[in-house]
Structure formats: structure tokens, C-alpha cells
Amino acid sequence: MEEHDPPTPVPASVVPVTHRTTRGTARSATVVVAGRYLMLDQVGAGGMGSVWRARDLRVGRVVAVKVLGHHSGALLARFVREQAVRVRHPHVVAPLGWAAEDDLVVLAMDLVAGGSVADLVREHGPLPAGYAARLVEQLLLGLAAVHGAGLVHRDVKPANLLLEATGAGEPHLRLGDFGVAAPIADHRFTTVPGAIGTDGYMAPEQARGALPDPAQDLYAVGRVALQLVTGAPPSRQREIPSHPLRPLLERLLVPDPAARLGAAEAALRLLRRLDVPPEPGPVVPDRLGPLPRHRRPRPGSPDVLGWVAAAGLLTVLVGCLWVLLRWGS
């Protein structure tokens, strides 16, 4: 059972070329994707491609840019699903927009610099009850917004729970990676004979290919919460221990979806009735560090990449429309 997606090769066409100045110091060449995103540095990699820090030249802010890897039909369909998510909530990281250039397709979203809950548990083990309860509460708040938008995430796990770099202050969790999200009870997203999700975190009925349902995400919340309080991944989880969060875990980890808590709001009400007092927990550092120094594009310089982007954007748009037409059939 793997919690982290395997790394994929970084597309060579977005690797900044480093060259020397007259003083002998290294300086990165300017690389702008689609005439809009100034690529700064790579900060991660996953099943869909690589993730970069980039400056959005249109609005002047630093964002995270996911660069799509090799464009298989399945990967393109996953990209189309993720870029279509438009859930705006403090505890959700949803796409801000997308762009294309030549053979590159990129998805922009908020930059979250504190790593993930997977990092936190791997480095610190079991978390204090009050700290874990706050993380679970924020996750449920985010899921309530996602389910309210008619979607099931289907891959709730520690690696997809991002953290703002709040230091020693209160943690701030944000649910990300909507690449396998699906509309609630949509027959087009049954997964027989193979389930979509992550082993150990999937509800039993999800693993059997049931229609997407919010109760499946809540089972995953239970697995995540049990990992927060024990430090053990699902493959090593046994009985629910005596713990302030036990009444919630017992209602989330029910194998029968009909007997499980079926709504994030109901889980939130139960969690708040438990009245777990707040506790300090691990420091959440800025794991990305300072921005690298890059040359800005000179005013008035020809935007060659922008012209290339127009052709690439048209190509990708046609491809996405083709996938959406098949998706809707």
C-alpha cells in the first residue's frame, strides 16, 4: 500500500536552463509557459506529472502549477475532471485555471507551502488529540463544501491533505488533488472490475465498484483520523483505541454504508459534541523555502511562447472537448 504517487519524469521543455553571468554566479533563464506562467522551481512530482512554483504574470501572484505528464487518454480524462472542479473554500485547493503550450498542459492552483499531513505523521507519529481533532474538523468542513457541490473526492488520504505553513500556530488543512473526483451517484464512474482510489483508505463498497457516494469519503476520513491518533497507516491499523475521538471513529469506520455516517455535516456535529479541547501540536514549517531569483521578461520583448501557446491551446482544447464528449456519452 502506497500513500505517495510515484514520481514521473520532468518534461524537458520546462526545465530552466542555468547559465553564468559575467561575475560567475548562476542565474536561471526565464521560462514562461503559455505566455503567462513564469516557472520558478520544481517542488514536487506525482502520478499526473510534476508540480512547480510559478509566477502568474497576469495577476502578479505566485501559484502552484501542475505540469501534465505523458498525455494518455486516461490521464487527459483525469486532467479534464480536475480542471473542471470549481469549489472555493478555505479548506479546499481547487484549480484556478489551465493553459497549454505546444506539448505542455498546465493546471494552476493556490500554492500551499507546509507539505502534507502525510509528512506530519511520518515525522512526528501520533498527534495530540486536540490537534488531530482540529485537522479532522477542517477536513470535514472541506468535504462538506465538495459534497455540497455534488462531488465525491474518492481519494481522501494524508498525502492529499495539504498544510499551510502556519509554524507553531493553529494548523490549516486544505483538501487537494481532485483527479479522480466524480459526481455523486453517477453511473459513468463505476469502476468495476478495478476500483479507483487508494488501497486501505477506500470504503469496502468503493473497492467493489459502487456508485460514487459521500459516505465513501467519510470512511476515508475515519482511516485518516485513526492514522492521526495512532501513527499507523491502514495496513497496520487494528482496533480503535481508547481515545477522545473514538465515538467518531466508530461511526465512520462502519463497513456497511447504510449504518455509517453519511454526511460530513453529521460527522461535524458529532465531533463538536465530543468537545475535544485544543492542544498544541507539531510546527508546520515552510517546506518550499524562499523563491529562487529569476530574470523577469523584459518589457517589449517578443512573446514567441505566447504565439506557440495559442496553437498548443487550440490542440489541447480539441482534445479536452473530445474527452468530454466521450465522458458525457
Side-chain angles (χ1 to χ4, degrees), residues 44-68:
M48 285 185 67
S50 54
V51 181
W52 291 67
R53 272 193 296 195
R55 187 176 300 280
D56 185 339
L57 300 177
R58 184 176 300 175
V59 299
R61 62 179 291 199
V62 176
V63 297
V65 169
K66 184 180 292 187
V67 181
L68 189 64

Side-chain angles (χ1 to χ4, degrees), residues 259-280:
R260 188 185 311 144
L261 286 174
E265 293 87 351
L268 271 170
R269 287 193 295 271
L270 175 54
L271 174 61
R272 288 168 176 168
R273 283 201 302 270
L274 297 178
D275 197 22
V276 182
E279 292 181 77

Side-chain angles (χ1 to χ4, degrees), residues 15-327:
V15 176
V17 178
T18 301
H19 52 96
R20 298 282 171 181
T21 65
T22 55
R23 298 192 179 196
T25 57
R27 183 172 63 180
S28 296
T30 298
V31 177
V32 180
V33 174
R36 177 171 181 176
Y37 299 108
L38 173 63
M39 309 301 279
L40 300 175
D41 58 344
Q42 185 182 349
V43 295
M48 285 185 67
S50 54
V51 181
W52 291 67
R53 272 193 296 195
R55 187 176 300 280
D56 185 339
L57 300 177
R58 184 176 300 175
V59 299
R61 62 179 291 199
V62 176
V63 297
V65 169
K66 184 180 292 187
V67 181
L68 189 64
H70 299 295
H71 303 4
S72 67
L75 193 61
L76 188 58
R78 180 171 174 170
F79 170 83
V80 170
R81 286 198 296 270
E82 184 164 12
Q83 68 83 29
V85 173
R86 291 293 183 268
V87 180
R88 296 287 174 258
H89 189 274
H91 296 296
V92 173
V93 181
L96 300 171
W98 68 282
E101 176 185 312
D102 199 11
D103 62 337
L104 295 178
V105 183
V106 300
L107 190 66
M109 59 195 70
D110 288 339
L111 182 68
V112 184
S116 70
V117 169
D119 298 322
L120 206 65
V121 175
R122 183 174 58 252
E123 294 168 2
H124 299 279
L127 301 177
Y131 192 91
R134 185 60 178 137
L135 291 175
V136 173
E137 180 182 32
Q138 293 177 2
L139 173 55
L140 289 170
L141 287 167
L143 277 175
V146 171
H147 297 162
L151 295 172
V152 181
H153 187 279
R154 299 203 299 174
D155 200 18
V156 175
K157 60 182 179 181
N160 288 340
L161 308 179
L162 307 182
L163 295 168
E164 298 284 1
T166 54
E170 183 180 31
H172 187 124
L173 177 150
R174 300 184 69 180
L175 174 64
D177 196 343
F178 287 81
V180 296
I184 293 173
D186 194 322
H187 68 87
R188 293 169 294 181
F189 292 93
T190 55
T191 55
V192 176
I196 290 180
T198 299
D199 288 342
Y201 298 97
M202 281 191 291
E205 72 276 11
Q206 182 181 351
R208 294 192 297 267
L211 294 175
D213 187 271
Q216 296 159 12
D217 285 345
L218 293 177
Y219 180 91
V221 172
R223 285 294 173 198
V224 169
L226 187 54
Q227 187 167 353
L228 295 181
V229 303
T230 65
S235 61
R236 293 193 286 110
Q237 291 174 0
R238 299 295 181 260
E239 295 183 356
I240 300 172
S242 177
H243 190 277
L245 291 178
R246 179 169 179 164
L248 176 65
L249 297 177
E250 289 176 334
R251 297 294 306 279
L252 294 175
L253 293 174
V254 179
D256 180 3
R260 188 185 311 144
L261 286 174
E265 293 87 351
L268 271 170
R269 287 193 295 271
L270 175 54
L271 174 61
R272 288 168 176 168
R273 283 201 302 270
L274 297 178
D275 197 22
V276 182
E279 292 181 77
V283 171
V284 182
D286 182 342
R287 296 177 184 271
L288 302 182
L291 292 172
R293 298 179 62 184
H294 278 67
R295 292 178 299 166
R296 291 180 175 273
R298 291 174 298 179
S301 60
D303 187 7
V304 176
L305 291 179
W307 289 103
V308 176
L313 182 61
L314 180 61
T315 302
V316 174
L317 182 59
V318 171
C320 289
L321 287 173
W322 177 79
V323 172
L324 283 171
L325 287 173
R326 291 193 61 194
W327 189 16

